[in-house]
Amino acid sequence: MEVLRVLLIDDEEELVTALVERLAYRGVAAEYALDGYSALEKLRSGNYQAVVLDLKLPGMEGTEVLSRISRDYPELP
């Protein structure tokens, strides 16, 4: 069975680190990015099956990140 790989994108580090830890207990390989630029870089180098995105991010807004993900990774939920 393939391990689900998820990228969490949120600027609240305490929240995403806790979520990564909790998901690991359930067999989900989760990583996180604290801003849109880091998220897009991780997407280029990773193989994720899902993304969870906060729309209010510093620097690049979440709506812009979503637009780029939709354009570059149309199969990624």
Side-chain angles (χ1 to χ4, degrees), residues 31-53:
E31 295 182 29
Y32 69 90
L34 298 175
D35 60 64
Y37 300 105
S38 300
L40 294 173
E41 183 63 34
K42 283 185 179 261
L43 283 168
R44 279 190 281 280
S45 62
N47 183 26
Y48 301 97
Q49 284 82 35
V51 171
V52 178
L53 171 64

Side-chain angles (χ1 to χ4, degrees), residues 1-76:
M1 185 161 123
E2 184 179 342
V3 173
L4 178 64
R5 289 183 40 102
V6 177
L7 179 61
L8 307 173
I9 308 166
D10 196 305
D11 60 327
E12 293 183 48
E13 189 169 12
E14 244 181 68
L15 172 66
V16 289
T17 56
L19 287 171
V20 165
E21 183 180 311
R22 299 297 299 170
L23 288 168
Y25 288 131
R26 289 162 177 79
V28 176
E31 295 182 29
Y32 69 90
L34 298 175
D35 60 64
Y37 300 105
S38 300
L40 294 173
E41 183 63 34
K42 283 185 179 261
L43 283 168
R44 279 190 281 280
S45 62
N47 183 26
Y48 301 97
Q49 284 82 35
V51 171
V52 178
L53 171 64
D54 181 10
L55 293 179
K56 293 185 179 179
L57 295 171
M60 183 188 308
E61 281 291 319
T63 52
E64 176 64 22
V65 176
L66 179 59
S67 174
R68 291 183 187 198
I69 291 172
S70 296
R71 180 191 69 209
D72 297 340
Y73 309 94
E75 74 289 346
L76 187 61

